[in-house]
Amino acid sequence: MMGDKGVPCIVYMHQIGFLFCIFNKKLDEEMQEKPPDFEFSFFDEDGDNKKFFYRTSKTRELDTLLGDIYHKILDMERAITRDIVSHVLQFVVPIHNAVNFAAELDCLLSLALVARQNNYKRPTLTAQNFLDIHNGRHLLQEMTVDTFIPNDTKISDEGRVNIITGPNYSGKSIYVKQVALIVFLSHIGSFVPAEAATVGLTDRIFCATGSKFMTAEQSTFMIDLHQVGIMLRHATPHSLCLLDEFGKGTLAEDGIGVLGGVINHFVSCYDPPKVLVCTHLTEVFDSGCLLESKRIKYYTMSVLSPEKGSGDLEDVVFLYRLIPGRALLSFGLHCALLAGIPQEVVKRAVAILDALKNDRHIERLQSENVLVRDQHYKDAVEKLLAFDAMNGDMRQFFENILPS
């Protein structure tokens, strides 16, 4: 209870009780003797405002009558809370069952709503170690683009290891992730983003996709190695393994060797898991790097590229369609243009690549000042070689090559 500023009033303070408050000026001894029951307690100063607190017979009466109201309120709140909790605990089992039922119902309704809105189909689960997806889609990616190109997936006893190559930005990572998502959704009872899907029971899905937590104290390559190590130790014939750009975080030779060793390990298994590998390390296809086996199938993402000899990178068109075969080009410069890299940078990259392919010297970039300076040095060297040290005028020579 606080009165208007400057007007004496009775206030209540926690653990202190009721007090009479006078603003700005303390009662002198003469004034304090006139009301004999005034007892000074303390004062409080807040900037220019001063408050002087007194105990009086009235405040003592309020303390006796009402007591410490705040703590009484707290005690009553605690008592009410305890009563409510004890009453609710009598029905904890039915409440727990109701919450679980509501959560399960919410999950099923959400899956059903999404399946209806996005034209998902009911998958077929089978005990056979088999995976057949017709026109599969990535459930998130298709929501962010105007047109999504679906792809088929078929993994049976032959072709358990699928190696997928293709240019950057052609959809390799999206493809392998959509396969994993369709397998996962099938196992939780959801419809899947595909025209049809027959999914063999899968015990684990292993991923080595180059993801890195911000709090991780390891490099991306080290994280990949740990993930692949777990994959190699624990994968079973009923597992699905994804390797996306594994081996790219180190020297090319080391990456090729590690990737080739991992693929050969899977191929050599008596009954290998289903494996999807995306890579730009096409050197792994060189003779002797991979075992010759029917368990390996090669796929690539189709691209419409310009005719040989055409230098227009903008003519490259990604079709996002998975087809059998291998890709030896990454079209990285085209991706650089799509990403907004300045054209002069891309042109310089084209010149460097052309020089490397044709085993030519790479001409360095030169500004006008650098060209003038280089020409000056060249002229000075020619004059020095032509100078007659026995009969020439040394002073005149230096004046010519070192103009003021």
Side-chain angles (χ1 to χ4, degrees):
M1 297 178 294
M2 295 295 293
D4 295 335
K5 185 176 181 181
V7 179
C9 61
I10 293 178
V11 299
Y12 170 77
M13 294 185 179
H14 305 322
Q15 297 182 344
I16 296 178
F18 291 90
L19 297 170
F20 186 75
C21 176
I22 298 178
F23 293 89
N24 297 329
K25 187 175 181 180
K26 181 180 179 182
L27 294 176
D28 55 26
E29 294 182 359
E30 183 179 353
M31 288 292 297
Q32 196 167 339
E33 288 177 357
K34 292 182 179 180
D37 59 342
F38 270 57
E39 177 186 349
F40 177 73
S41 293
F42 62 92
F43 79 95
D44 181 31
E45 185 173 357
D46 182 12
D48 296 334
N49 297 325
K50 293 183 179 180
K51 301 175 185 178
F52 299 89
F53 297 94
Y54 296 85
R55 291 189 182 277
T56 67
S57 58
K58 194 65 177 178
T59 60
R60 295 187 185 94
E61 181 182 347
L62 289 172
D63 287 337
T64 304
L65 178 64
L66 301 177
D68 194 346
I69 298 177
Y70 177 73
H71 286 87
K72 286 184 178 179
I73 293 173
L74 292 180
D75 292 339
M76 292 179 65
E77 288 178 347
R78 294 190 187 99
I80 293 172
T81 302
R82 285 194 299 269
D83 291 341
I84 293 175
V85 171
S86 61
H87 184 70
V88 170
L89 288 176
Q90 297 176 10
F91 305 95
V92 64
V93 174
I95 291 176
H96 189 267
N97 293 336
V99 170
N100 286 339
F101 175 79
E104 185 175 350
L105 180 62
D106 177 62
C107 179
L108 294 175
L109 289 175
S110 299
L111 292 175
L113 180 63
V114 171
R116 182 176 182 180
Q117 290 176 342
N118 297 281
N119 194 29
Y120 291 179
K121 301 298 181 181
R122 180 179 179 178
T124 300
L125 286 175
T126 176
Q128 297 179 357
N129 201 359
F130 183 79
L131 180 60
D132 187 5
I133 301 172
H134 178 58
N135 282 340
R137 311 186 304 275
H138 191 290
L139 56 88
L140 296 179
Q141 183 69 17
E142 70 171 345
M143 297 181 182
T144 64
V145 295
D146 296 330
T147 303
F148 186 88
I149 308 300
N151 279 295
D152 296 342
T153 302
K154 189 168 185 178
I155 303 177
S156 56
D157 291 337
E158 291 188 358
R160 301 298 291 274
V161 179
N162 289 204
I163 301 178
I164 305 164
T165 56
N168 300 102
Y169 200 69
S170 62
K172 301 187 301 298
S173 298
I174 292 296
Y175 169 74
V176 297
K177 291 175 182 177
Q178 85 181 28
V179 173
L181 287 171
I182 290 173
V183 171
F184 176 77
L185 290 174
S186 301
H187 283 72
I188 65 172
S190 171
F191 282 26
V192 298
E195 290 297 324
T198 302
V199 180
L201 292 177
T202 304
D203 56 5
R204 296 180 180 92
I205 299 177
F206 295 96
C207 298
T209 56
S211 58
K212 181 178 181 180
F213 298 106
M214 295 301 295
T215 56
E217 297 181 356
Q218 297 174 325
S219 67
T220 303
F221 182 61
M222 182 59 70
I223 293 174
D224 277 350
L225 288 175
H226 281 299
Q227 293 172 340
V228 172
I230 295 173
M231 186 186 303
L232 296 178
R233 291 192 299 271
H234 300 289
T236 71
H238 293 277
S239 299
L240 175 64
C241 302
L242 310 182
L243 291 93
D244 190 5
E245 303 297 346
F246 176 64
K248 68 178 181 180
T250 184
L251 290 176
E253 294 80 1
D254 294 341
I256 294 167
V258 174
L259 177 62
V262 171
I263 294 175
N264 287 335
H265 171 84
F266 285 126
V267 173
S268 302
C269 292
Y270 175 75
D271 193 2
K274 296 179 283 290
V275 182
L276 297 175
V277 181
C278 294
T279 184
H280 285 289
L281 300 175
T282 54
E283 296 85 353
V284 77
F285 302 139
D286 292 345
S287 177
C289 189
L290 295 181
L291 297 173
E292 293 291 337
S293 174
K294 293 182 179 180
R295 290 177 172 175
I296 300 179
K297 284 190 176 181
Y298 299 95
Y299 295 93
T300 184
M301 306 304 290
S302 56
V303 177
L304 286 179
S305 57
E307 295 181 1
K308 190 174 182 180
S310 173
D312 192 355
L313 294 174
E314 296 182 358
D315 290 340
V316 178
V317 178
F318 296 137
L319 301 180
Y320 306 107
R321 177 68 70 179
L322 187 74
I323 59 175
R326 305 177 188 176
L328 300 178
L329 298 177
S330 66
F331 295 100
L333 298 181
H334 175 70
C335 295
L337 286 176
L338 294 177
I341 300 297
Q343 287 195 359
E344 57 269 21
V345 176
V346 177
K347 288 181 180 179
R348 176 60 178 170
V350 171
I352 293 174
L353 286 175
D354 185 64
L356 292 174
K357 289 179 181 178
N358 295 286
D359 198 22
R360 296 199 312 266
H361 175 69
I362 300 175
E363 298 291 338
R364 67 170 180 165
L365 289 176
Q366 295 178 331
S367 64
E368 289 295 329
N369 293 334
V370 174
L371 290 173
V372 171
R373 186 185 62 190
D374 287 352
Q375 186 62 41
H376 175 69
Y377 292 158
K378 184 177 180 181
D379 294 342
V381 171
E382 291 177 351
K383 291 178 181 179
L384 178 60
L385 294 175
F387 178 69
D388 186 355
M390 299 298 295
N391 302 316
D393 186 346
M394 187 69 69
R395 181 175 181 177
Q396 183 66 34
F397 169 74
F398 281 110
E399 288 179 353
N400 290 336
I401 66 172
L402 300 173
S404 57

